Amino acid sequence: MRKPVESAAYGIGLALIVSGIVHLGVFLADDVPWTGPVSWRKPATFGLSFGLTLITVVWITRYLFVGHRAQAWLLGVFTADCVVEVAGITLQAWRGVPSHFNTETPFDRGVAMVLAVGGAVLVVTLGAYAVVALRGRVRGPADMRLAVRAGFGLLLVSLASGIAMVARGTVLFRTVSAQAAYETGGFLKPVHGVALHAVLVLPLPAVVLRGLGRPERERLRVVGVATVLYCAATAVALSFSFR
């Protein structure tokens, strides 16, 4: 039976996806570049990515052995944080100012600080789920257990790359210039984006093949191959990040 916090998170995730689609439409209608520190790219991609990630986390954490109270707190905090992150980035896009590393005014500094704290909350909540998964506390057959563990393992790679980008951007902002932080601080975006959604992609073959009635041994083999391929794709994305 679906818990109230899960139903709310599904609805909010869908709303974030809609927000991303709307801002993609705004970009198409407006004569503004896709790249750069001030762009409709940010509310579009962050809305889509956070919405999809939130829905994925609600679904996939049902396979984890997490206590009811702990799950309610973790999922509630994660859901609220997703809203705060997307709202802050969207607000700054409509104001026509950068959302990150922006300390031009007290208000901008406050927004940047909230986004930074929100990023730390994301690391803590998703990291907690990853620890549960990697410790083997996963429900389901062998193929789903492998998919969930591999997905959360790659999610840790995504979180690490996010921390590295924030750290580099902060150093560049303080020692070089804001422009340098905006231009090169996000150097790990390819690997960050690819690894982030492994927790959604890898369980899909297990679910589809199980629905088709395929035996567990075959499902496990397919998920194993998918995991290897996804790790290879993550490595390729990492190589592109340093070009």
Side-chain angles (χ1 to χ4, degrees), residues 8-88:
Y10 275 128
I12 291 172
L14 181 59
L16 295 178
I17 291 174
V18 171
S19 174
I21 294 173
V22 168
H23 284 93
L24 183 60
V26 173
F27 162 73
L28 295 174
D30 196 4
D31 186 23
V32 177
W34 179 253
T35 58
V38 180
S39 169
W40 295 117
R41 177 193 80 256
K42 280 191 161 185
T45 57
F46 274 72
L48 290 169
S49 184
F50 269 87
L52 184 59
T53 300
L54 177 55
I55 290 173
T56 300
V57 168
V58 180
W59 167 55
I60 211 66
T61 54
R62 293 177 67 89
Y63 289 94
L64 301 181
F65 284 99
V66 180
H68 294 305
R69 181 173 297 180
Q71 171 66 347
W73 273 101
L74 283 173
L75 189 55
V77 170
F78 181 70
T79 301
D81 198 35
C82 288
V83 173
V84 169
E85 290 288 300
V86 175

Side-chain angles (χ1 to χ4, degrees), residues 59-204:
W59 167 55
I60 211 66
T61 54
R62 293 177 67 89
Y63 289 94
L64 301 181
F65 284 99
V66 180
H68 294 305
R69 181 173 297 180
Q71 171 66 347
W73 273 101
L74 283 173
L75 189 55
V77 170
F78 181 70
T79 301
D81 198 35
C82 288
V83 173
V84 169
E85 290 288 300
V86 175
I89 289 164
T90 302
L91 171 65
Q92 296 299 70
W94 280 100
R95 294 181 67 234
V97 298
S99 55
H100 294 83
F101 312 121
N102 182 5
T103 59
E104 289 296 318
T105 68
F107 182 82
D108 292 328
R109 189 180 303 113
V111 173
M113 182 63 68
V114 169
L115 293 175
V117 172
V121 173
L122 291 175
V123 171
V124 171
T125 52
L126 292 176
Y129 282 131
V131 169
V132 174
L134 296 177
R135 289 181 62 187
R137 298 180 61 80
V138 184
R139 298 182 178 90
D143 54 311
M144 181 57 77
R145 294 198 302 271
L146 172 61
V148 172
R149 290 173 189 166
F152 273 107
L154 286 165
L155 180 62
L156 289 179
V157 174
S158 179
L159 294 177
S161 64
I163 293 171
M165 287 190 290
V166 171
R168 178 173 179 176
T170 301
V171 171
L172 289 172
F173 181 83
R174 292 178 177 176
T175 61
V176 183
S177 67
Q179 189 63 30
Y182 297 143
E183 290 180 353
T184 63
F187 70 112
L188 291 175
K189 284 180 181 177
V191 65
H192 180 71
V194 172
L196 177 65
H197 295 294
V199 73
L200 167 64
V201 174
L202 293 180
L204 290 180

Side-chain angles (χ1 to χ4, degrees), residues 203-228:
L204 290 180
V207 173
V208 172
L209 291 175
R210 186 177 183 183
L212 294 175
R214 307 309 301 174
E216 182 176 320
R217 180 176 298 180
E218 179 182 337
R219 301 197 309 265
L220 182 60
R221 183 167 60 250
V222 171
V223 171
V225 171
T227 299
V228 172

